[in-house]
Amino acid sequence: MTTRRTLMLAAAATLAAPSLRAQARFPDRPVRIVVGFPPGGNVDFTARLLAPTLSAALGQPVVVDNRAGAGGIVGTEHVARSRPDGHTLLLGSTGPLSLFPVAMAQLPYDTLRDLAPIGICYRVPIVMMVSRQVTARNLAEFVAAAKAQKGQFSAGTAGIGSGAHLAIELFNAGTGADLVHVPYRGTGPAINDLIAGTIPVVFDQLSSALPLHADGRARIIAVASANRAAQLPDVPTLREAGLVQQELTTTLGLLGPAGLPADVVETLRAALARTMHDATTRQRLESLGGAIPAAEAITPANYARVIREEMETSREAVRIGNIRLDQ
């Protein structure tokens, strides 16, 4: 009798085990944030800045996983095809999420179908910066020099299809300067070459460019925002110069694969809102020009709306610049 009862209890425990595991509190192991670019760029920097506070909010280690390639496509596809349990996330950016879908005929993922927005981290404008070897003192002088030497100035970006690439094409369309686009495998390598004087111009996010401008390693000569940056009151906007009508910003946000359970999404959303409004994190990002949404605006619905809006902006910019990214 005792043996029979023991066997029955063991069988019951075995049957119950999957159910108990299914009800385990999320997260129950480390969470990975995939970055689709190499170390050293704006997306990587942001992920590493957020990871410690996000880890504290979730109660599990948060690690950054760089999966660089194809302007962010490799990392984005990896997350889109990951198990939807919340332990593999993407720090997404405008290029792979909103520009590629309207400028490329084929992608290995569908942003709106295959990814689940969790919330916006922050938005930051694109800027144009030049190396110390460039003698032009301002945007007007640079445009004059570039037009006089068409095809002689190269401009680096984080890669084909990045928001910075879009800015270059619109700059060329508006000025006739004919800058030669040089796509890198991320912002870090492009900045290294800019500092070394190997390349004269880089278009990048304000957050990555400000430290270089501040210590004299490079100079920001224009910002692609609606208004001048508070940190750079003497630097004009491209719109002021009549060169680019669109406001070109990069939005960074957290996403997971489609199919995330609602309770997992809410846990991640709450942790992200707490992280973005941590005093140290907020001060650091805002000092670099990032605009952080109010805590109540860090929601899946708001991020989904922004992605759709940026797709429409990208579609118009692609038309103006006659841009195709198919390779």
Side-chain angles (χ1 to χ4, degrees):
M1 180 69 70
T2 301
T3 301
R4 183 180 178 186
R5 183 182 180 192
T6 300
L7 291 173
M8 291 176 66
L9 289 174
T14 300
L15 291 171
S19 176
L20 292 173
R21 284 197 297 270
Q23 295 173 17
R25 178 183 177 276
F26 169 82
D28 59 3
R29 61 184 182 278
V31 173
R32 286 189 303 135
I33 296 181
V34 173
V35 170
F37 303 94
N42 182 51
V43 182
D44 177 72
F45 162 79
T46 301
R48 296 181 189 281
L49 177 65
L50 302 185
T53 307
L54 196 60
S55 175
L58 291 172
Q60 288 286 346
V62 173
V63 296
V64 177
D65 181 3
N66 294 89
R67 291 181 177 260
I73 290 176
V74 171
T76 304
E77 180 186 10
H78 174 76
V79 174
R81 301 191 183 287
S82 295
R83 182 178 177 181
D85 59 10
H87 291 92
T88 301
L89 305 173
L90 173 73
L91 187 58
S93 57
T94 299
L97 297 179
S98 302
L99 174 57
F100 290 176
V102 302
M104 299 179 72
Q106 291 186 326
L107 276 178
Y109 58 85
D110 182 309
T111 298
L112 302 178
R113 182 194 65 207
D114 298 332
L115 294 165
I118 294 164
I120 292 172
C121 297
Y122 73 96
R123 307 182 78 178
V124 63
I126 301 292
V127 302
M128 177 182 181
M129 54 182 167
V130 298
S131 72
R132 289 173 295 184
Q133 286 75 18
V134 172
T135 57
R137 293 169 298 176
N138 52 48
L139 179 61
E141 289 186 5
F142 179 85
V143 170
K147 290 176 71 175
Q149 304 174 62
K150 283 192 174 185
Q152 299 303 304
F153 284 86
S154 54
T157 71
I160 293 174
S162 62
H165 177 198
L166 194 66
I168 289 176
E169 298 298 343
L170 290 171
F171 182 87
N172 284 341
T175 65
D178 195 24
L179 300 181
V180 178
H181 179 216
V182 179
Y184 286 77
R185 284 175 56 85
T187 299
I191 286 177
N192 289 340
D193 276 1
L194 182 76
I195 294 171
T198 306
I199 194 166
V201 183
V202 164
F203 282 74
D204 195 20
Q205 291 89 7
L206 176 61
S207 51
S208 299
L210 267 177
L212 306 177
H213 183 85
D215 63 19
R217 287 178 291 168
R219 289 181 291 118
I220 299 172
I221 61 172
V223 296
S225 53
N227 303 299
R228 295 191 180 194
Q231 298 86 349
L232 300 167
D234 296 328
V235 176
T237 67
L238 291 175
R239 182 177 291 184
E240 281 181 76
L243 303 180
V244 177
Q245 296 304 311
Q246 286 81 5
E247 179 180 358
L248 297 174
T249 61
T250 294
T251 299
L252 269 62
L254 203 61
L255 308 95
L260 286 179
D263 60 331
V264 171
V265 172
E266 175 53 26
T267 296
L268 291 168
R269 183 212 62 78
L272 179 62
R274 176 178 165 184
T275 296
M276 296 313 304
H277 287 272
D278 168 75
T280 301
T281 302
R282 186 182 184 93
Q283 187 279 328
R284 179 67 172 141
L285 288 174
E286 289 184 339
S287 71
L288 294 175
I292 297 172
E296 59 271 19
I298 299 177
T299 65
N302 188 44
Y303 192 12
R305 176 185 59 79
V306 168
I307 289 173
R308 287 186 171 87
E309 288 176 352
E310 289 188 336
M311 282 184 174
E312 291 308 309
T313 299
S314 295
R315 185 173 284 108
E316 178 63 10
V318 163
R319 183 190 66 78
I320 292 172
N322 192 29
I323 300 168
R324 287 306 305 176
L325 302 178
D326 302 287
Q327 298 181 19

